[in-house]
Amino acid sequence: MGQITLKDIAKALNLSPSTVSRAMQNHPAISPGTRRIVQEYAEEHKYKPNTLAMQLRTNRNNTIGVIVPEIVHYFFSTVLSGIQQEAENEGYNLLFCHSNEDYEREVRSVKTLLDARVCGILASQSKTTNHFQHFQEIIDNDVHLVFFDRICTGINTDKVVIDDYAGALHAVDHLIQTGCSRIAFLGSSPSMPIANNRRMGYEDALRRHKLPIDKRLSRICDTVELARAVVPEMLQLDPVPDAFFCINDEVAAYAMQIAKSAGFRVPEDISVCGFTNSYITDVTDPTLTTVDQHGFEMGQVAVRLLINRITGKETKQGVVSRLIKTELVVKNSTRSL
Amino acid sequence: MGQITLKDIAKALNLSPSTVSRAMQNHPAISPGTRRIVQEYAEEHKYKPNTLAMQLRTNRNNTIGVIVPEIVHYFFSTVLSGIQQEAENEGYNLLFCHSNEDYEREVRSVKTLLDARVCGILASQSKTTNHFQHFQEIIDNDVHLVFFDRICTGINTDKVVIDDYAGALHAVDHLIQTGCSRIAFLGSSPSMPIANNRRMGYEDALRRHKLPIDKRLSRICDTVELARAVVPEMLQLDPVPDAFFCINDEVAAYAMQIAKSAGFRVPEDISVCGFTNSYITDVTDPTLTTVDQHGFEMGQVAVRLLINRITGKETKQGVVSRLIKTELVVKNSTRSL
DNA sequence: CGGGCGTATGCATACGATTGCACAAATAAA
DNA sequence: TTTATTTGTGCAATCGTATGCATACGCCCG
């Protein structure tokens, strides 16, 4: 109807479908004459091979599924952009799912991707996920799975993560070197490996400089709403913190805002450091020192790892872990050396 | 091999594939006994219908392609999120492409999606696109096409756009009512319908209040780089503008930053208004008055329109245009009434 | 002239699922 | 008992492509 098929060409040229098929793929057993006739006819009638049919034959559809917990989000959209570019380069299509930090939607997404029979899945876990059966099912179905950033500790599979420990260590070290000594850590639930690794980096940086670790300076505060409650409390402490090291740029921006309206100068009285290096770090006043996570690179690395598993180029038996380097980006919310 | 098929079940139960198929879909001609046996066996062996096979039969793969010019972008990621949710609700998969504002990649994306034989395509044009043949090809292939936001004027097809005219009119009206009279417009190339409609809204608001339209106050300035060059020039004008109405939030944030460091107070001396209502509007100092574009809704509306075309529920012969309402969000970069 | 060989093409089948039609068995009606 | 009707299954073809194997033809050589 809409699209012309091999059979149509065969009928029109009085050939068999097999001949036409072979002619199209430049099979040596086809005479140059026939080949030319077929290819010209195909060209003229805009023949397009039906990928669905080939996929059915080969039982492979050249498609990778990706599950992202949030998309209106600087870091994850950056990762997605890296994933997309690399997948396109390698000739894979991308089936896109969005869990929206919702466990139920995450489960549905996995089901969708398995139903679509993708060759592999890239996933970052939702914050509300506590059961891992759906991820296990991916593996049980012999579909390759690579976690990125928010890895699932309950599942044994390849992963690509940010070097959160080093990033935090480096950032806190910078705060100390620029004269801060009472540094607050606004983190996430320790059940998230990301947050836990950063806390360890934070504490190790303090230890290296022989600074005390004050439990009151370490709080869970990973959303804007929490910041509005937690930051004012911390500003009541005596002595007051002279720096905030924050789990993400949004919290850092709000902490800065709250500190400023409480009468503190940034960075003279209080330094603030974020994590991600999103757009907002350039529009706050002062601009926000932060840790770049190299999200684009993470996306590329994750895709390459997944494709190497799919094609069998990556042969390691156990789990492959890739670590993405971070980079401290000093702007104006921390003092200069 | 990996997956069990209808035939496998048939062989195991000594039935024909047809019977098994019918049993699975609760066909009335199948005896309850057989049905139970089949369904239990299928359940136990985790049978999953091969969607590729069904897609081949029906020649429909329940997949929608989406082409986004930028993804690390508040507005477009918001639209994508609306698209994803609505597509998922309607049982469609999403094949994701990213042109990255690059004409060549946009062309490749279209090819990719047509090769994948998607049922329909949602697209927003890249800034660098001047030829439309690839979009025309979509239509020539009888694939449904809906443009959103950045529509392609050279192609006659359904579209969903923001009510840019009303949004601009409303915003500028607010600036005037709060006492501004020399309002600058930082826009985009007039070849983009978006920018042109906003300019018309801007000018009509001025006319309504019998304010002069000064050509020097209207400039192309839609990137951060341009802002750094253009805004300082405008601050040299005599008399100086008392408001900036900007094409997006980034430009607005930078305009504000530049004005502040030039010694102007915001909003007392100069009001600033952005467009989009992205995250950054809450972290600038002062927070940024802006126009919300309801991107999530735009995504939903676009998907629904596309699906109604695919399913034939939308029967209108000509072009269907949907208009998304905007909403002025007054924050602290404009004066109060 | 016939056997052998190479070349070019067609036939048949497969991928996995669906579906119109035929058919057998069982039941109901006459 | 015979005929009609229902009920449950199976056969075969289909979607579009790819491929092993058979076959037809022409040609060369013995």
Side-chain angles (χ1 to χ4, degrees):
Chain A
M1 199 66 168
Q3 276 292 342
I4 188 176
T5 73
L6 278 190
K7 286 187 192 172
D8 297 331
I9 300 182
K11 211 168 292 174
L13 300 181
N14 242 331
L15 289 168
S16 76
S18 13
T19 304
V20 176
S21 168
R22 283 190 263 254
M24 290 305 293
Q25 9 176 357
N26 292 322
H27 194 286
I30 299 297
S31 73
T34 315
R35 178 179 316 168
R36 234 203 48 238
I37 293 174
V38 168
Q39 293 190 350
E40 276 176 8
Y41 189 94
E43 170 79 13
E44 185 185 349
H45 292 73
K46 292 181 185 297
Y47 166 73
K48 276 212 185 93
N50 187 326
T51 46
L52 271 61
M54 292 182 31
Q55 287 170 10
L56 175 59
R57 268 184 66 83
T58 59
N59 210 13
R60 289 203 59 256
N61 62 4
N62 247 50
T63 299
I64 289 175
V66 51
I67 304 177
V68 166
E70 261 180 273
I71 185 61
V72 188
H73 187 287
Y74 181 87
F75 175 65
F76 283 120
S77 59
T78 306
V79 177
L80 180 62
S81 139
I83 290 174
Q84 214 285 326
Q85 171 165 323
E86 199 63 18
E88 183 179 322
N89 283 347
E90 300 291 327
Y92 283 77
N93 290 337
L94 222 56
L95 220 44
F96 171 68
C97 290
H98 181 207
S99 69
N100 201 26
E101 302 286 13
D102 177 30
Y103 167 71
E104 302 291 347
R105 260 182 93 174
E106 187 175 276
V107 173
R108 277 208 306 277
S109 298
V110 169
K111 193 171 154 18
T112 298
L113 294 179
L114 288 181
D115 281 352
R117 281 179 145 74
V118 294
C119 312
I121 295 179
L122 296 169
S124 201
Q125 193 179 230
S126 135
K127 278 183 189 167
T128 57
T129 297
N130 292 311
H131 302 94
F132 315 128
Q133 184 48 36
H134 53 304
F135 288 132
Q136 187 56 48
E137 214 143 305
I138 297 176
I139 297 170
D140 293 348
N141 276 270
D142 292 323
V143 173
H144 298 278
L145 172 61
V146 173
F147 280 113
F148 62 93
D149 196 55
R150 303 231 209 109
I151 64 170
C152 174
T153 49
I155 299 288
N156 220 28
T157 191
D158 297 346
K159 45 179 159 280
V160 182
V161 292
I162 301 295
D163 192 348
D164 288 294
Y165 172 84
L169 185 80
H170 195 174
V172 174
D173 189 73
H174 173 256
L175 289 170
I176 298 172
Q177 290 200 18
T178 55
C180 302
S181 56
R182 277 185 60 73
I183 301 169
F185 175 55
L186 302 184
S188 262
S189 157
S191 72
M192 299 188 74
I194 283 181
N196 208 37
N197 289 336
R198 292 192 202 163
R199 170 201 298 269
M200 287 168 58
Y202 158 78
E203 293 184 353
D204 278 1
L206 293 179
R207 283 195 199 98
R208 284 198 192 178
H209 290 272
K210 312 236 186 291
L211 288 172
I213 293 171
D214 184 342
K215 290 290 171 202
R216 292 174 307 161
L217 290 180
S218 217
R219 299 281 297 268
I220 292 181
C221 177
D222 56 358
T223 65
V224 170
E225 293 70 33
L226 276 171
R228 277 198 251 274
V230 170
V231 176
E233 284 177 30
M234 302 194 82
L235 293 176
Q236 300 297 321
L237 290 177
D238 183 26
V240 94
D242 56 9
F244 285 99
F245 173 55
C246 310
I247 196 81
N248 61 43
D249 289 336
E250 283 75 34
V251 167
Y254 279 84
M256 186 195 295
Q257 223 174 52
I258 294 166
K260 274 166 61 183
S261 52
F264 295 93
R265 291 166 305 163
V266 177
E268 292 82 355
D269 302 326
I270 296 182
S271 291
V272 180
C273 179
F275 215 103
T276 294
N277 196 22
S278 66
Y279 283 150
I280 71 171
T281 59
D282 289 322
V283 299
T284 54
D285 184 12
T287 55
L288 186 65
T289 294
T290 189
V291 178
D292 196 308
Q293 293 178 286
H294 296 171
F296 191 84
E297 185 191 344
M298 166 174 266
Q300 293 182 304
V301 169
V303 169
R304 278 202 286 265
L305 175 53
L306 180 62
I307 293 180
N308 283 341
R309 282 297 194 189
I310 292 170
T311 57
K313 279 183 205 158
E314 175 61 68
T315 54
K316 193 180 169 201
Q317 285 297 315
V319 165
V320 173
S321 278
R322 293 276 152 77
L323 207 57
I324 306 294
K325 289 261 167 294
T326 62
E327 182 183 356
L328 181 65
V329 182
V330 177
K331 302 189 184 176
N332 298 314
S333 64
T334 52
R335 309 179 211 166
S336 42
L337 280 172
Chain B
M1 200 66 170
Q3 276 291 342
I4 188 176
T5 74
L6 276 191
K7 285 187 193 170
D8 297 331
I9 300 182
K11 210 167 293 174
L13 300 181
N14 241 331
L15 289 168
S16 76
S18 15
T19 304
V20 176
S21 168
R22 283 190 264 254
M24 289 305 293
Q25 17 179 349
N26 292 322
H27 194 287
I30 298 298
S31 73
T34 317
R35 177 179 315 167
R36 234 203 49 239
I37 292 174
V38 169
Q39 294 191 348
E40 277 177 7
Y41 188 94
E43 169 81 12
E44 186 186 347
H45 291 73
K46 294 183 185 296
Y47 165 73
K48 277 213 184 91
N50 186 327
T51 46
L52 271 60
M54 293 182 33
Q55 288 170 10
L56 175 59
R57 267 185 65 81
T58 59
N59 209 15
R60 289 201 58 256
N61 62 3
N62 250 49
T63 299
I64 289 174
V66 52
I67 304 177
V68 167
E70 261 180 273
I71 185 60
V72 188
H73 188 288
Y74 181 87
F75 176 64
F76 283 120
S77 60
T78 306
V79 176
L80 181 63
S81 140
I83 290 174
Q84 213 285 327
Q85 171 165 323
E86 198 63 19
E88 182 179 322
N89 283 346
E90 300 291 328
Y92 282 78
N93 290 337
L94 222 56
L95 220 44
F96 172 69
C97 290
H98 181 208
S99 69
N100 201 28
E101 303 285 14
D102 176 32
Y103 167 71
E104 302 292 347
R105 259 181 94 175
E106 187 176 276
V107 173
R108 278 208 305 278
S109 297
V110 168
K111 191 169 154 22
T112 298
L113 295 179
L114 288 181
D115 280 351
R117 282 183 145 71
V118 295
C119 311
I121 295 179
L122 296 170
S124 201
Q125 192 180 231
S126 134
K127 278 183 189 169
T128 58
T129 297
N130 291 312
H131 303 94
F132 316 127
Q133 183 49 36
H134 54 303
F135 288 132
Q136 187 57 47
E137 213 143 306
I138 298 176
I139 297 170
D140 293 347
N141 276 271
D142 293 323
V143 173
H144 299 276
L145 172 62
V146 173
F147 280 113
F148 62 92
D149 196 53
R150 304 233 207 108
I151 63 170
C152 173
T153 49
I155 299 287
N156 219 28
T157 192
D158 296 345
K159 46 177 159 281
V160 181
V161 292
I162 300 294
D163 192 348
D164 288 292
Y165 172 83
L169 185 80
H170 195 174
V172 175
D173 190 72
H174 173 257
L175 289 170
I176 298 172
Q177 290 201 19
T178 55
C180 302
S181 56
R182 277 186 60 73
I183 301 170
F185 175 54
L186 302 184
S188 261
S189 156
S191 72
M192 298 189 77
I194 283 180
N196 209 37
N197 290 335
R198 290 192 203 165
R199 170 201 298 270
M200 288 169 57
Y202 159 77
E203 293 184 352
D204 278 2
L206 294 178
R207 283 194 200 98
R208 283 198 194 179
H209 290 272
K210 312 237 188 290
L211 288 172
I213 293 171
D214 185 342
K215 290 291 171 200
R216 294 174 306 162
L217 290 179
S218 217
R219 298 282 296 270
I220 292 181
C221 176
D222 57 358
T223 66
V224 170
E225 293 70 34
L226 277 171
R228 278 198 249 273
V230 170
V231 176
E233 284 177 30
M234 302 195 83
L235 293 176
Q236 300 296 323
L237 291 177
D238 183 27
V240 93
D242 57 7
F244 285 98
F245 173 53
C246 310
I247 196 79
N248 60 44
D249 289 335
E250 283 75 33
V251 168
Y254 279 84
M256 186 194 299
Q257 225 173 50
I258 294 166
K260 275 166 63 183
S261 51
F264 295 94
R265 292 167 304 163
V266 177
E268 292 81 356
D269 303 325
I270 297 181
S271 291
V272 180
C273 179
F275 215 104
T276 294
N277 196 21
S278 66
Y279 282 151
I280 71 172
T281 60
D282 288 323
V283 300
T284 55
D285 184 13
T287 55
L288 186 65
T289 293
T290 188
V291 178
D292 195 308
Q293 293 179 285
H294 296 170
F296 191 84
E297 186 191 345
M298 165 173 266
Q300 293 182 302
V301 169
V303 169
R304 277 202 287 265
L305 175 53
L306 181 62
I307 293 180
N308 284 341
R309 282 297 193 189
I310 292 169
T311 57
K313 278 183 204 157
E314 175 61 68
T315 54
K316 193 178 169 203
Q317 285 296 315
V319 165
V320 173
S321 279
R322 292 277 152 75
L323 208 57
I324 305 294
K325 288 260 166 297
T326 62
E327 182 183 355
L328 181 66
V329 182
V330 177
K331 301 189 184 176
N332 298 316
S333 64
T334 51
R335 309 178 211 166
S336 42
L337 280 171

